[in-house]
Amino acid sequence: MRRMVDAAVSIGGLIDTAFSPEAAARLRFGMPGIFGNSLRLDAEPSLAELQAAMAAFSLRTQGLLDDWGSDPVPLLYVNGDQDQHVPADDSRPLESRPNTVVRLVPNATHSAMQKAQEIVPWSLQWLRDQLA
């Protein structure tokens, strides 16, 4: 039986603490405006608006970190360990998830793009292995 999703790769994805009020207050490099744009706002949100809007996106708030089910789809999570937008502890809930690989790339920032030439082929191979 095929699932709707057979495997997933998240590179630089936000999970839980990245949506906290403290994390929202530390966003820079235009990220508040980018997040506001994704909410279809006409202007960059104030810090209070940003913090209120971001809280609902936490996978914990949505109840998605509480029960993985008996056989969760394989998941690869990759990010830089020096990500300026996502707190280092954000991936911690995934460490106990079955069928999951968490890879924090040393000395890399958001999405570990400094190491893209390494990350992308490795991620594609991981995905191929899961779908074989």
Side-chain angles (χ1 to χ4, degrees):
M1 177 174 106
R2 305 281 299 167
R3 304 174 191 174
M4 288 181 68
V5 175
D6 294 316
V9 175
S10 173
I11 298 179
L14 287 69
I15 299 164
D16 183 28
T17 59
F19 296 106
S20 70
E22 297 80 20
R26 287 191 306 269
L27 288 177
R28 44 190 194 153
F29 306 127
M31 290 302 289
I34 291 169
F35 196 88
N37 188 51
S38 70
L39 295 170
R40 299 177 187 224
L41 301 176
D42 292 332
E44 185 172 315
S46 69
L47 177 57
E49 292 169 325
L50 182 66
Q51 290 170 321
M54 286 183 70
F57 286 89
S58 163
L59 299 184
R60 184 170 310 286
T61 299
Q62 296 178 52
L64 298 173
L65 297 179
D66 300 326
D67 181 9
W68 304 118
S70 61
D71 186 26
V73 300
L75 171 65
L76 171 62
Y77 177 85
V78 180
N79 202 3
D81 71 349
Q82 303 296 311
D83 188 322
Q84 63 274 39
H85 306 297
V86 180
D89 68 345
D90 196 50
S91 64
R92 196 160 291 137
L94 298 180
E95 292 172 357
S96 63
R97 183 183 185 275
N99 301 328
T100 302
V101 174
V102 174
R103 181 174 179 189
L104 295 179
V105 180
N107 303 312
T109 58
H110 187 58
S111 300
M113 284 297 100
Q114 299 94 324
K115 306 280 184 164
Q117 71 282 3
E118 172 189 331
I119 298 297
V120 172
W122 181 78
S123 298
L124 290 173
Q125 184 59 55
W126 179 90
L127 191 56
R128 270 189 225 105
D129 293 345
Q130 304 311 306
L131 300 177

